[in-house]
Amino acid sequence: MRSWIIVLKKGAKGLAFAVVFLILWILVDQVMMFKQEDGTLPARNFYDLPADTVDVLVLGTSHAGMNVSSQTLWDEYGIASYRFWGSIQPIWNSYYYLLEALKYQQPKVVVLDAHSLTFNQEYGTYPVQIKNTIGLRPSRNKLENILASVPEEDRAAVLLGLPVYHNRYTELREEDFDYMAWQRHPELQVLSSEESVHIYPFTIREPDPALEEAPLGEKEEKYFRMLLEFCREKGIALELVVSPYEISVTEQQKYLRVASIAAEYGVRYTDFNLSYREYGIDPQQDFLDPGHFNRYGLPKYARALAELLRERYTLPDRRQDPDHIWNRLESRTVLPVYALTEQFDGDGRQDFLDTGYPLMENPLSSWTLCTRFTLPEAAAEQKVIMACYEDQENAGGFRVCRETGGNLGISFGKQVDTQVQNPAEEITLCVVKKGKQFTIYVNGVLTEDRKMDTEELLSLSGGLLLGCQKDPAGRRIRFARTRVKDLQIYDCVLSEKEVLEWTPKELPVAQRTEYLKDIREAESILALESRFEGNGELYVDSGVALYEDPERSFTLLSRIDPEITAGDSVYFSCFCEVPGEYRGLLVRRTGEDQLNVVFGNGHGVNLPLPTDRPSVLAVVKDRSAYTLWLNGEKMVDEEVAVCDSYDGSFLIGAQTDASGEIFRQSGIVLYNLEIYEGILKEDQILAWTPLPLNPPPRDPGMDVTYQLPEALTGNGRDIYVDTGIRLLDNPKKDWTIHLRMDQVNVREGAVLSCFDETPGKYRGLLLRQSGRTTFSLVLGGAYAEVEIHPADQLEMYIVKQDDRWQVYAEGELKAEARSSFSPYLGNLFLCAERDQRGIPFRFSTISLREVQVINRALETEEIIGPEADGKEETT
């Protein structure tokens, strides 16, 4: 008897040890097991779902698991779907997953992504084997799945599980302890990748009708047929699909074989690589890598699947079932992708707000817009409250307005309108766009529910505007006096319940900027410190981008002289000259007595300009409204001329061309110029009478004293001297050049040059020997020729005094001229000339004994002696 007791005690101890060991094994296994959302977790969490939860079971590789948004299917269609998948999952794993799933759920349709049928392998890689097997519960299906998926030498470790991941204790995180046996995860599937905004642009290969079928891998075709036969035998509805991706030619050929096999079993096959455009899927924007959608593409593909499934099957809207697990769980918070932070208060004249949200960029996208606004008064033209709209023939978009007859008009698509008669003074509007379907609620009443044809929709760039719309030229028009109290845009479809429960927030009222200022209080943007006197080449770049913010307000005061002395006639400008994109501010004289002012979006007026006295011009820009005064008379009164941003500088005496280069340098005089931030008071604008500024002090220019250190003889190829002095940097500067030359009768080419070769701007000093006894000269802007008797040596003087030039040779005055010119900053070259880039060219063979530059104009007696005083000068 005692021996039996001993045996029982030992057996009890052994059993207790085994139980404790088993419990510890399970606990450690649950903690150590991989928690991969692309493999183990979809299988692990499947068992936490109550029975009769899943109506659509999705099987396959990541093309199924990462591309089918269960969230979108639920939120927008009430479709209860589950993605029972694994990364790079072979078809045999999908087969056993299907068998396992049917033990717990009875889906109304199974969706299999056919991507795995393009593989050709006996086994996947070791990580793929693990991800697609160990998440299943112990069962015959798991055992057979491992036998099919794992080589013989690894099967025991995979079957036990813990030997595979026992050493990952250094990788454990807090979430590893969230998957114990008593913890459940029945929530709706949402992957971390579903929020990715990364964009991988590519082009989906077009189908080639000449392609022929390619055979499937032997093992792939075997299990594919096993799955098809099982579904046919059990009466399971199966949809075979291919999600869009960067497909290869070989894959296209294999899919042709997949379609043929599916047809044998009467299974429908849909390749969305052939029809993705119909659902608004854009490979340039909607993918995060070659095979998977980003957050922009995910809902589009989900909607494509939903439309296909709802056309072929009767699927319940599980959102209406309060007992469904996903209704009982705490619902997620849906956040808008755009929301006002303060009320928009439009003045009906020029106020607007560009939300920047491209509401109609993809005509097949889905979104929900909820807003509350006050209705503007009816007028002789439409008053637009908000719009993303193209107002021309065969166009349209989305627009909300007060019609001329007083109705509330809501336009969508191509010229499709909904009219609400006798509207209330305050409107709560919700527009739900689900692909081609528009549903509109006005003050809680369903007003429109219409499905559009694809050709009725159009793509529009640009953001949703509040308070106006754009015309075909891009100008903002039809401003509305309205207050948008709240506006929220969601990039998903809200349910009717959510729409009807939407309540606008109590947003703060936007504080209007106090623009009206006194001059003494106003912030100065720019002010001339000295009079600007143009000469056809000078200009001032202020560096102020006056139109960088097109809504900026400023007041410009100027005193201009009607005379144009040289060049063009631009007084000042901050203007884009690109054809079709004219915008900014341009003031110039046109004709003898007209002042042309172009402002805003290229709108222009011509004002009468007195020619006998200076004029005072004031330009007031109140955001997009312009008021112009000329000599105390209001010539333009708050004319609205909106424009886009322009980052060019405010220029005085010039303008920029379409390429951004300076042109139209002008010979104008600007006595005064002041620009202030905001709007100055009218009485101060009219009283503005500052004294004309003094001209800027003349720059004396550099000291040009120079002595050639040694004799110089050119070789006609590369010998020259850059003296480093600038003779013409100040056109009023005086100097004298004294030079001696050898062998005048045999040398030719440039003697000296300080000359601008830019076409249209030729000017400066140029001395060439043009013949055996002839020298040609350019003196400022005048031309002269000098004849010299043949001699072994020649002494010559060139004298510049203000705008008077004199040339002496052989003891006589040989040439004289008067010529003004604009500054030129090139250096004096000897035995060569300087091209327009500053590079020496036209080398000569001149022999120079001596070159001296004196920093003043020598008197005649200093050159040829006192006896020259009595000689008659020639002009």
Side-chain angles (χ1 to χ4, degrees):
M1 185 69 177
R2 187 176 178 182
S3 61
W4 281 104
I5 294 174
I6 294 173
V7 171
L8 288 173
K9 285 183 177 179
K10 289 184 178 179
K13 288 181 180 179
L15 180 60
F17 175 81
V19 170
V20 171
F21 178 81
L22 180 61
I23 292 173
L24 289 174
W25 177 283
I26 294 173
L27 291 175
V28 172
D29 181 80
Q30 289 173 341
V31 171
M32 302 296 290
M33 186 182 73
F34 296 116
K35 313 296 189 303
Q36 300 148 320
E37 65 175 13
D38 64 340
T40 56
L41 287 183
R44 157 68 179 78
N45 293 344
F46 176 78
Y47 299 105
D48 293 340
L49 293 173
D52 195 28
T53 297
V54 177
D55 293 322
V56 176
L57 182 70
V58 182
L59 301 174
T61 66
S62 59
H63 285 217
M66 293 177 65
N67 286 349
V68 179
S69 172
S70 296
Q71 187 79 67
T72 301
L73 293 175
W74 174 265
D75 287 345
E76 299 185 12
Y77 299 89
I79 295 176
S81 65
Y82 193 85
R83 296 168 284 178
F84 204 23
W85 69 289
S87 179
I88 321 178
Q89 184 177 91
I91 185 61
W92 43 90
N93 294 135
S94 299
Y95 171 71
Y96 288 109
Y97 270 41
L98 174 60
L99 269 57
E100 183 70 6
L102 295 180
K103 292 164 52 178
Y104 301 91
Q105 298 289 337
Q106 297 300 314
K108 294 174 174 55
V109 59
V110 175
V111 176
L112 172 66
D113 189 289
H115 180 239
S116 64
L117 297 175
T118 63
F119 303 166
N120 188 0
Q121 57 188 359
E122 181 64 23
Y123 302 109
T125 62
Y126 188 65
V128 169
Q129 297 167 22
I130 300 303
K131 288 182 181 181
N132 289 287
T133 57
I134 64 173
L136 297 180
R137 281 180 177 174
S139 65
R140 178 178 177 178
N141 288 330
K142 178 171 183 175
L143 177 61
E144 292 185 356
N145 189 28
I146 292 174
L147 294 175
S149 306
V150 181
E152 184 176 355
E153 62 272 18
D154 295 324
R155 288 171 184 166
V158 175
L159 182 60
L160 291 172
L162 191 56
V164 174
Y165 39 74
H166 70 279
N167 59 351
R168 64 176 296 264
Y169 54 88
T170 58
E171 306 169 8
L172 293 179
R173 298 172 296 174
E174 185 177 348
E175 50 263 39
D176 282 299
F177 296 88
D178 291 339
Y179 291 86
M180 310 305 288
W182 57 88
Q183 294 171 308
R184 295 288 182 264
H185 292 274
E187 60 269 8
L188 194 64
Q189 287 174 300
V190 179
L191 303 181
S192 58
S193 62
E194 295 186 29
E195 290 302 313
S196 174
V197 294
H198 179 73
I199 295 176
Y200 173 86
F202 67 93
T203 301
I204 293 179
R205 189 184 302 275
E206 295 294 332
D208 183 353
L211 286 180
E212 296 181 352
E213 294 180 4
L216 305 184
E218 181 179 350
K219 189 173 180 181
E220 280 74 16
E221 182 167 344
K222 170 188 171 183
Y223 276 93
F224 181 37
R225 289 185 179 274
M226 288 172 60
L227 189 148
L228 292 172
E229 289 170 0
F230 176 80
C231 289
R232 181 166 63 181
E233 177 185 340
K234 299 296 183 181
I236 297 170
L238 177 66
E239 288 289 335
L240 196 61
V241 301
V242 178
S243 67
Y245 71 104
E246 196 171 24
I247 191 172
S248 69
V249 172
T250 301
E251 288 169 330
Q252 285 181 327
Q253 292 177 300
K254 289 196 173 188
Y255 285 134
L256 293 176
R257 178 59 182 158
V258 170
S260 296
I261 296 174
E264 293 179 29
Y265 292 85
V267 172
R268 281 177 291 214
Y269 166 81
T270 305
D271 186 350
F272 285 98
N273 286 293
L274 308 178
S275 59
Y276 65 92
R277 293 185 182 91
E278 298 176 19
Y279 303 98
I281 294 172
D282 182 0
Q284 294 293 310
Q285 297 290 331
D286 293 339
F287 287 80
L288 63 86
D289 61 35
H292 307 112
F293 290 109
N294 56 27
R295 67 167 297 180
Y296 311 118
L298 267 167
K300 297 177 186 178
Y301 182 53
R303 291 167 193 140
L305 275 179
E307 294 295 330
L308 179 147
L309 294 174
R310 292 183 71 177
E311 286 177 6
R312 299 176 181 178
Y313 305 94
T314 302
L315 298 175
D317 184 348
R318 293 286 194 163
R319 293 171 300 179
Q320 309 304 318
D321 178 5
D323 293 327
H324 194 279
I325 182 65
W326 294 331
N327 280 325
R328 286 189 279 116
L329 293 174
E330 183 179 355
S331 59
R332 70 186 179 115
T333 301
V334 182
L335 298 177
V337 292
Y338 177 84
L340 284 180
T341 57
E342 60 183 14
Q343 297 183 34
F344 166 73
D345 192 7
D347 63 359
R349 180 170 62 95
Q350 63 169 320
D351 283 343
F352 77 99
L353 174 65
D354 187 347
T355 68
Y357 189 79
L359 199 64
M360 301 297 291
E361 188 174 48
N362 182 351
L364 294 172
S365 65
S366 295
W367 43 260
T368 302
L369 179 148
C370 295
T371 182
R372 187 167 182 81
F373 56 84
T374 60
L375 204 62
E377 293 183 0
E381 69 167 2
Q382 292 172 321
K383 295 298 180 181
V384 176
I385 299 151
M386 61 186 66
C388 184
Y389 196 82
E390 190 170 290
D391 195 4
Q392 54 185 318
E393 186 178 357
N394 198 34
F398 174 72
R399 179 177 65 190
V400 181
C401 68
R402 185 76 183 261
E403 301 286 2
T404 55
N407 291 346
L408 173 66
I410 305 168
S411 303
F412 49 93
K414 293 184 177 180
Q415 308 298 344
V416 179
D417 295 315
T418 292
Q419 299 284 321
V420 178
Q421 297 180 353
N422 302 316
E425 293 302 312
E426 194 162 276
I427 302 291
T428 297
L429 171 70
C430 288
V431 180
V432 181
K433 181 180 182 296
K434 184 165 64 175
K436 304 175 187 177
Q437 187 85 22
F438 276 84
T439 308
I440 299 174
Y441 302 83
V442 176
N443 287 340
V445 177
L446 178 61
T447 305
E448 183 71 76
D449 191 13
R450 182 186 304 197
K451 188 169 186 178
M452 313 281 286
D453 294 330
T454 302
E455 56 271 15
E456 290 183 280
L457 300 170
L458 74 163
S459 172
L460 295 176
S461 60
L464 175 72
L465 297 178
L466 303 186
C468 69
Q469 72 172 77
K470 286 188 178 181
D471 69 5
R475 296 183 291 261
R476 292 183 285 275
I477 59 172
R478 298 176 182 167
F479 290 87
R481 188 174 183 83
T482 181
R483 176 172 289 182
V484 181
K485 295 188 173 183
D486 195 10
L487 170 71
Q488 297 177 18
I489 303 174
Y490 303 84
D491 63 352
C492 62
V493 175
L494 298 187
S495 67
E496 184 175 45
K497 181 175 180 292
E498 290 172 314
V499 166
L500 296 178
E501 290 178 352
W502 183 82
T503 303
K505 295 180 178 179
E506 293 293 332
L507 298 178
V509 178
Q511 296 297 316
R512 286 195 174 276
T513 304
E514 179 55 56
Y515 289 101
L516 210 57
K517 301 178 181 180
D518 292 332
I519 289 179
R520 59 183 175 273
E521 298 172 350
E523 178 186 349
S524 176
I525 297 174
L526 177 67
L528 275 183
E529 295 181 359
S530 57
R531 181 187 311 174
F532 175 79
E533 297 181 353
N535 58 17
E537 292 195 356
L538 292 176
Y539 69 93
V540 173
D541 184 343
S542 73
V544 176
L546 204 56
Y547 277 80
E548 188 171 33
D549 177 5
E551 295 305 302
R552 183 181 201 173
S553 294
F554 63 77
T555 301
L556 180 150
L557 305 171
S558 63
R559 183 192 298 272
I560 60 179
D561 193 295
E563 184 179 356
I564 307 296
T565 60
D568 213 286
S569 61
V570 175
Y571 289 99
F572 44 80
S573 69
C574 185
F575 194 76
C576 176
E577 192 71 17
V578 177
E581 300 180 21
Y582 296 139
R583 62 191 187 277
L585 178 66
L586 171 63
V587 177
R588 59 181 176 170
R589 200 188 80 178
T590 55
E592 291 296 324
D593 57 356
Q594 281 192 335
L595 184 69
N596 178 238
V597 183
V598 185
F599 53 87
N601 52 3
H603 189 87
V605 295
N606 290 315
L607 309 178
L609 182 68
T611 58
D612 58 344
R613 65 185 188 277
S615 291
V616 173
L617 172 70
V619 179
V620 177
K621 177 180 179 293
D622 177 2
R623 291 160 290 171
S624 299
Y626 290 79
T627 304
L628 307 182
W629 280 273
L630 184 63
N631 296 323
E633 183 178 354
K634 186 180 289 185
M635 311 300 288
V636 173
D637 188 10
E638 296 188 337
E639 185 161 341
V640 174
V642 298
C643 68
D644 294 327
S645 174
Y646 172 59
D647 59 4
S649 289
F650 182 85
L651 304 176
I652 299 173
Q655 190 186 341
T656 52
D657 62 17
S659 301
E661 300 296 325
I662 300 295
F663 83 135
R664 290 182 178 166
Q665 293 99 313
S666 304
I668 57 95
V669 175
L670 197 58
Y671 291 109
N672 304 89
L673 175 70
E674 298 173 11
I675 306 178
Y676 294 95
E677 201 78 61
I679 302 168
L680 300 187
K681 295 179 179 178
E682 182 173 350
D683 58 347
Q684 289 202 301
I685 293 174
L686 297 179
W688 185 73
T689 54
L691 294 174
L693 297 169
N694 293 322
R698 291 290 180 185
D699 180 1
M702 71 181 296
D703 187 324
V704 295
T705 303
Y706 174 80
Q707 181 78 45
L708 182 66
E710 58 185 14
L712 170 69
T713 300
N715 61 4
R717 297 187 307 276
D718 54 13
I719 293 178
Y720 78 103
V721 168
D722 179 351
T723 66
I725 64 172
R726 296 178 177 178
L727 294 176
L728 309 175
D729 55 350
N730 179 359
K732 301 297 184 182
K733 182 167 59 180
D734 300 337
W735 42 258
T736 302
I737 299 177
H738 174 219
L739 57 87
R740 296 180 185 274
M741 301 168 53
D742 274 349
Q743 299 175 337
V744 175
N745 60 333
V746 296
R747 304 288 179 175
E748 289 186 351
V751 180
L752 54 84
S753 170
C754 187
F755 190 79
D756 186 1
E757 288 283 344
T758 304
K761 297 183 179 180
Y762 296 137
R763 69 194 188 284
L765 173 65
L766 179 62
L767 172 62
R768 288 190 186 129
Q769 183 173 355
S770 52
R772 293 189 54 176
T773 60
T774 305
F775 287 82
S776 58
L777 298 98
V778 180
L779 306 171
Y783 177 78
E785 281 195 355
V786 175
E787 288 288 335
I788 304 294
H789 295 297
D792 291 338
Q793 287 192 354
L794 170 68
E795 183 177 29
M796 182 178 291
Y797 288 87
I798 302 174
V799 181
K800 178 187 174 300
Q801 186 173 25
D802 197 10
D803 62 350
R804 184 183 182 189
W805 302 74
Q806 294 177 314
V807 180
Y808 296 88
E810 299 178 324
E812 297 180 2
L813 177 64
K814 294 291 186 178
E816 188 171 17
R818 287 190 177 274
S819 177
S820 298
F821 59 92
S822 301
Y824 171 60
L825 301 182
N827 292 347
L828 174 67
F829 282 9
L830 307 180
C831 290
E833 297 181 38
R834 182 181 188 271
D835 68 14
Q836 59 182 313
R837 298 170 298 170
I839 300 173
F841 77 136
R842 293 178 183 163
F843 300 94
S844 73
T845 58
I846 297 297
S847 178
L848 292 171
R849 284 280 183 176
E850 178 184 351
V851 176
Q852 181 184 15
V853 183
I854 303 163
N855 199 42
R856 64 182 180 86
L858 296 182
E859 299 294 335
T860 302
E861 59 268 22
E862 293 181 275
I863 298 173
I864 58 178
E867 65 276 11
D869 288 348
K871 295 183 179 180
E872 183 180 349
E873 294 182 355
T874 59
T875 301

